[in-house]
Amino acid sequence: MNELLAALIALAGGLAGGLVGVGGGVLFVPALTIFLGLSQVEGESTSLLVIVVVAHVGAARQRTYGHLALRDALVIGALSPLGVLIGVVIANAVPSRVLELSFAALVLFVAYELVRRALSGAPDEAG
C-alpha cells in the first residue's frame, strides 16, 4: 500500500465528510478501489470501518453547532445494522462487476437528485 496516497485519501475523505457529510461511499470506496487497488467488496468493507471514525468526529463537531438531529440519528443508527447484515451477504454473493455497476448507478442517482434540488430554488439552511 502506498502510505502517502492513503494519507491523501484520508485527508480528502475527511474534508468531504466535514464539508458535505460524505466520505464513505462517495469518496472512500472509489479511492480505495481505483488508487489503492482494493477489490470492490474490499473497498466497501474498508470504508465501513473508516467512516465510523469520520462520522463520529464530524457528528460530534456538528453537534456543537446545533445541527445534529440526534433522535433521527439514533433511530436510523439502531435500524441500519439490519440492512448492513443483509447487504454484506449480498455483496459477498454477487460478482464484483454487479457491485461496481450498482454503486455507480446509486452515485449517479444521488448526484441527479442533489442537482435537481439545488436548481429548484429551495432555501439554503446554512448555519
Side-chain angles (χ1 to χ4, degrees):
M1 174 174 67
N2 182 331
E3 286 79 12
L4 178 59
L5 193 52
L8 291 173
I9 291 169
L11 181 61
L15 182 62
L19 284 172
V20 293
V22 298
V26 175
L27 184 72
F28 286 132
V29 173
L32 291 168
T33 58
I34 294 168
F35 300 117
L36 295 185
L38 274 62
S39 71
Q40 185 70 23
V41 75
E42 288 172 331
E44 291 170 3
S45 302
T46 303
S47 77
L48 287 172
L49 183 56
V50 170
I51 199 62
V52 169
V53 178
V54 173
H56 178 75
V57 171
R61 186 67 176 148
Q62 285 291 6
R63 186 172 187 213
T64 65
Y65 291 101
H67 297 150
L68 182 64
L70 187 58
R71 184 168 189 236
D72 294 340
L74 292 174
V75 169
I76 293 168
L79 298 175
S80 294
L82 298 173
V84 168
L85 292 172
I86 296 166
V88 166
V89 170
I90 295 169
N92 284 281
V94 301
S96 185
R97 190 74 175 150
V98 171
L99 291 176
E100 293 166 355
L101 293 172
S102 298
F103 180 82
L106 176 64
V107 170
L108 287 173
F109 173 75
V110 170
Y112 166 77
E113 284 297 316
L114 290 172
V115 169
R116 187 182 65 76
R117 286 173 134 193
L119 295 177
S120 73
D124 185 10
E125 297 180 20

